[in-house]
Amino acid sequence: MQAVEVKNFLEEKIPGAQVEVEGEGCNFQLNVISDELAAFSPVKRQQQIYAHLNPWIADGSIHAVTMKFFRRNDWLARG
C-alpha cells in the first residue's frame, strides 16, 4: 500500500480534511489537518480515522498507524 492511497482515501472520506501521510507498505504516520476533527477529544479523533481504516487493518494491508491532529492555522504556522 502506498501513502498516496491512504491520503486520497481519507481526504475523500473526511470532507474538508487535509491528510499528509508518510510511510509505505503497512506502516504509516498521519498528520491530519482539520478544524472539525481537532475540536474532538483525542480518542474521538482516532476513532474517526480508524473507522475508515479498519478494513485495511483487518486484512493486514495496514499494520501500524500513528496520528497527529492539527487545526488549519496551527498547521500553517509550523512553517
Side-chain angles (χ1 to χ4, degrees), residues 44-55:
K44 184 71 172 172
R45 292 178 206 158
Q46 289 185 353
Q47 288 173 336
Q48 296 293 309
I49 300 299
Y50 281 126
H52 299 298
L53 297 181
N54 274 338

Side-chain angles (χ1 to χ4, degrees), residues 21-47:
V21 182
E22 295 180 18
E24 61 182 38
C26 59
N27 298 309
F28 296 97
Q29 301 82 42
L30 309 178
N31 288 320
V32 182
I33 302 97
S34 168
D35 290 342
E36 180 180 324
L37 286 178
F40 293 155
S41 72
V43 170
K44 184 71 172 172
R45 292 178 206 158
Q46 289 185 353
Q47 288 173 336

Side-chain angles (χ1 to χ4, degrees), residues 58-69:
D59 75 9
S61 297
I62 294 178
H63 174 72
V65 178
T66 58
M67 299 175 229
K68 292 183 181 177
F69 294 85

